[in-house]
């Protein structure tokens, strides 16, 4: 592989990895922007088929599927993602401690702006049934994030594996942030801390969950997107809207909402966060229009 190709794909991976760490910014959306979304999804698909053939005792068929995976593209992307996650996590953790209101407001702005992506994907096919699903998803997410002590400040092994598997589905569904999902269930802080502290036990369980997610949940999500696209996107939009409760800037240690105090900083952060995502979406549309000319 040419060094320039490796560097280019590693840079793409760094952009995706940075997005995966920031709640409200979708790694799947960034993968679309930098032109590697299809490579990632197809690679997952071929990997799942290869594992299936191996389990059925068909190594030749498994080998054919492995050879279809574009490792020269995906491995540099993976390298860049890991590098970006380690770097970005070290920056975000102290900010979450020092300026929680500012950070939550910025994340909320990013999430609000990113709602445009799944809404655009639904487009004119939006019907009353989709609105009903959206509302149900919003109610469910709002209720879940309203539960007392809902945050998983000290998640046990099965929780780490399960929620890591669900969060990694964000790579399959542009517009949905995996790190925001972790934030909504209270696992974002512990996960960022585990990355910075090199907690190999926690990270090992997280990687296991992510692999399971790629081999199962992500493929299930892809099937729903292929067969019930608008319904699935409507549910995701509802979940995103309802989960905004977890990003109310002013809240106590138990995630209970507090009254507004000095809104200037959080409002500016919210607008800046929304602006970052809006610029990202605008760049995606521009690149797509250029590629079709």
């Amino acid at each position: 592989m040419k060094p320039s190709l490796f560097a280019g794909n590693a840079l793409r991976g760094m952009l995706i990895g940075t997005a995966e760490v920031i709640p409200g910014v979708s790694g799947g959306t960034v993968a679309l922007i930098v032109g590697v979304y299809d490579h990632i999804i197809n690679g997952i698909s071929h990997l799942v088929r290869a594992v299936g053939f191996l389990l059925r005792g068909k190594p030749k068929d498994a080998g054919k599927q492995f050879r279809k995976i574009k490792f020269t593209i995906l491995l540099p992307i993976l390298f860049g993602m890991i590098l970006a996650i380690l770097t970005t996590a070290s920056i975000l953790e102290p900010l979450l401690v020092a300026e929680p209101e500012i950070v939550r407001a910025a994340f909320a702005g990013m999430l609000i702006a990113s709602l445009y992506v799944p809404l655009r994907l639904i487009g004119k096919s939006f019907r009353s049934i989709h609105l009903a699903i959206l509302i149900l998803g919003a109610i469910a997410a709002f209720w879940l994030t309203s539960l007392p002590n809902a945050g998983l400040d000290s998640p046990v092994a099965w929780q780490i594996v399960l929620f890591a598997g669900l969060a990694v589905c964000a790579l399959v569904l542009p517009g949905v942030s995996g790190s925001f999902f972790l934030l909504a269930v209270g696992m974002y802080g512990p996960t960022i801390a585990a990355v910075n502290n090199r907690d190999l036990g926690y990270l090992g369980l997280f990687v296991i969950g992510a692999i399971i997610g790629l081999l199962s949940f992500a493929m299930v999500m892809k099937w729903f997107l292929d067969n019930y696209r608008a319904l699935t996107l409507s549910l995701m939009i509802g979940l995103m809207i309802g989960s905004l409760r977890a990003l109310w800037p002013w809240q106590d240690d138990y995630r209970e909402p507090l009254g507004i105090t000095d809104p200037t900083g959080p409002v500016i952060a919210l607008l800046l966060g929304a602006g970052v995502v809006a610029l990202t979406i605008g760049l995606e549309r521009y690149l797509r229009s250029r590629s079709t000319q």
Side-chain angles (χ1 to χ4, degrees), residues 79-267:
F79 171 79
M81 287 179 65
I82 294 173
L83 181 62
I85 288 170
L86 293 175
T87 304
T88 309
S90 64
I91 298 172
L92 280 178
E93 186 181 17
L95 284 176
L96 284 168
V97 175
E99 299 289 347
E101 292 89 0
I102 299 293
V103 174
R104 281 194 290 265
F107 289 167
M110 292 176 179
L111 178 64
I112 292 169
S114 68
L115 288 170
Y116 170 79
V117 177
L119 284 169
R120 185 186 69 190
L121 291 174
I122 295 177
K124 296 180 179 179
S125 62
F126 194 82
R127 300 289 185 271
S128 57
I129 181 64
H130 303 130
L131 178 60
I133 294 294
L134 186 156
I135 293 173
L136 288 175
I139 293 173
F142 188 91
W143 176 72
L144 287 172
T145 55
S146 301
L147 292 175
N149 300 318
L152 303 177
D153 296 326
S154 300
V156 297
W158 71 267
Q159 292 170 329
I160 297 172
V161 172
L162 174 62
F163 290 122
L166 292 171
V168 81
C169 291
L171 275 177
V172 180
L173 188 59
V176 176
S177 168
S179 51
F180 174 74
F181 172 80
L182 294 178
L183 186 67
V185 299
M187 268 183 54
Y188 184 77
T191 303
I192 291 293
V195 172
N196 289 329
N197 297 331
R198 306 299 188 264
D199 185 343
L200 298 182
Y202 187 107
L203 295 177
L205 291 170
F206 197 92
V207 169
I208 291 172
I211 292 173
I212 293 173
L214 287 175
L215 296 180
S216 55
F217 298 143
M219 292 306 297
V220 171
M221 184 66 72
K222 185 175 185 299
W223 183 86
F224 274 105
L225 280 173
D226 290 340
N227 295 277
Y228 302 98
R229 187 178 185 82
L231 285 174
T232 304
L233 290 171
S234 298
L235 177 62
M236 292 299 103
I237 293 169
L239 293 173
M240 292 166 70
I241 292 173
S243 296
L244 277 169
R245 183 198 179 281
L247 290 179
W248 176 251
W250 300 275
Q251 52 183 275
D252 59 23
D253 294 336
Y254 299 97
R255 303 172 71 198
E256 288 297 320
L258 301 174
I260 298 175
T261 57
D262 191 13
T264 304
V267 169

Side-chain angles (χ1 to χ4, degrees), residues 47-63 66:
L47 180 61
V48 170
R49 292 191 182 101
V51 171
F53 282 128
L54 283 176
L55 293 175
R56 294 197 298 268
K58 298 180 179 180
K60 290 185 178 180
D61 291 329
F66 274 120

Side-chain angles (χ1 to χ4, degrees), residues 2-70:
K2 294 182 180 180
S4 59
L5 292 176
F6 182 93
N9 287 323
L11 178 59
R12 293 181 176 92
M14 290 180 68
L15 293 173
I16 297 170
T18 300
E20 285 298 305
V21 176
I22 300 174
V25 181
S26 167
T29 298
V30 175
L32 273 174
I33 293 172
V34 299
V36 296
Y37 180 77
D38 287 339
H39 292 306
I40 293 173
I41 297 303
N42 290 334
I44 294 172
S45 178
H46 292 310
L47 180 61
V48 170
R49 292 191 182 101
V51 171
F53 282 128
L54 283 176
L55 293 175
R56 294 197 298 268
K58 298 180 179 180
K60 290 185 178 180
D61 291 329
K64 291 179 181 178
Q65 293 297 322
F66 274 120
R67 286 190 290 273
K68 292 180 180 179
I69 301 174
K70 296 185 177 181

Side-chain angles (χ1 to χ4, degrees), residues 15 33-34 277-289:
L15 293 173
I33 293 172
V34 299
V277 175
L279 286 174
T280 303
I281 294 171
L283 178 61
E284 175 200 353
R285 297 193 67 179
Y286 172 74
L287 293 176
R288 279 179 171 272
S289 64

